[in-house]
């Protein structure tokens, strides 16, 4: 992840009853939420209407966007092509308002939710809340501090 990106997880809304799942190493693992839902990669085809499919470094990962800017990364369990993880990274040095509006609409229409990777809190699906979260994130603060040096 680049210093100018803010990371998020995208999860099925109904799967949050056991949230958050922390693995044996103390890290957040979103695969149980997706495996429970049994979703295939075609579920995310609509994302290409607002974020073009990009280059992937692995057959296990579908990338929409660019890994140096805004992107959605969809991780697959290769043998059965089921989704095991979905992440979103927003480049806060570029215009991201339209992207957020499209992601929010996609999430609402597909009963998905957004989780902040910084604190694992559920993010309200409205543009003002997400912009505020980005502007107040530790990532933006670090970036601004480095720019001032």
């Amino acid at each position: 992840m680049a210093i100018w990106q803010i990371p998020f997880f995208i999860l099925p809304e109904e799967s949050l009853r056991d949230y958050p799942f922390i693995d044996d190493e103390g890290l957040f693992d979103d695969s149980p939420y997706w495996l429970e839902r049994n979703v295939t990669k075609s579920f995310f085809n609509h994302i290409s209407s607002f974020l073009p499919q990009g280059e992937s470094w692995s057959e296990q990962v579908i990338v929409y966007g660019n890994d140096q800017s805004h992107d959605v990364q969809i991780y697959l369990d290769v043998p059965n092509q089921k989704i095991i993880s979905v992440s979103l990274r927003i480049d806060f040095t570029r215009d991201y308002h339209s992207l957020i509006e499209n992601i929010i609409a996609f999430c609402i229409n597909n009963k998905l939710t957004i989780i902040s990777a910084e604190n694992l809190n559920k993010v309200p699906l409205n543009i003002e809340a997400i912009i505020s979260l980005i502007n107040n994130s530790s990532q933006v603060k670090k970036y601004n501090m480095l720019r001032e040096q």
Side-chain angles (χ1 to χ4, degrees):
M1 178 183 74
I3 192 167
W4 54 85
Q5 291 175 315
I6 303 287
F8 298 91
F9 295 100
I10 297 176
L11 298 173
E13 177 69 38
E14 76 273 4
S15 69
L16 294 183
R17 66 183 175 280
D18 298 324
Y19 169 79
F21 181 77
I22 306 299
D23 68 15
D24 294 338
E25 297 173 12
L27 302 173
F28 178 67
D29 179 7
D30 60 335
S31 64
Y33 306 103
W34 284 106
L35 290 171
E36 172 181 297
R37 189 138 180 231
N38 203 26
V39 177
T40 62
K41 63 184 181 179
S42 64
F43 182 83
F44 288 92
N45 287 347
H46 178 71
I47 290 178
S48 66
S49 69
F50 57 86
L51 202 56
Q53 190 163 347
E55 294 289 322
S56 179
W57 62 94
S58 169
E59 68 179 67
Q60 291 180 289
V61 182
I62 299 168
V63 176
Y64 291 96
N66 178 318
D67 68 351
Q68 292 299 306
S69 183
H70 311 302
D71 72 354
V72 172
Q73 296 181 2
I74 301 164
Y75 291 79
L76 303 170
D77 179 22
V78 175
N80 61 25
Q81 297 293 295
K82 303 296 182 199
I83 304 299
I84 58 171
S85 179
V86 180
S87 63
L88 162 69
R89 295 186 299 186
I90 296 175
D91 178 348
F92 57 80
T93 65
R94 297 179 188 230
D95 182 31
Y96 52 80
H97 293 80
S98 176
L99 172 66
I100 292 174
E101 288 172 348
N102 283 298
I103 290 289
I104 288 170
F106 182 81
C107 287
I108 290 170
N109 291 335
N110 291 286
K111 296 181 173 59
L112 302 173
T113 194
I114 299 173
I115 303 296
S116 167
E118 183 172 74
N119 57 22
L120 298 181
N121 288 333
K122 185 176 174 182
V123 177
L125 293 179
N126 73 64
I127 193 161
E128 292 84 14
I130 295 174
I131 290 171
S132 177
L133 188 143
I134 291 169
N135 290 337
N136 293 304
S137 70
S138 62
Q139 200 72 3
V140 168
K141 291 173 185 169
K142 282 186 234 174
Y143 178 84
N144 289 336
M145 186 178 72
L146 289 171
R147 286 188 57 207
E148 292 172 3
Q149 292 180 351

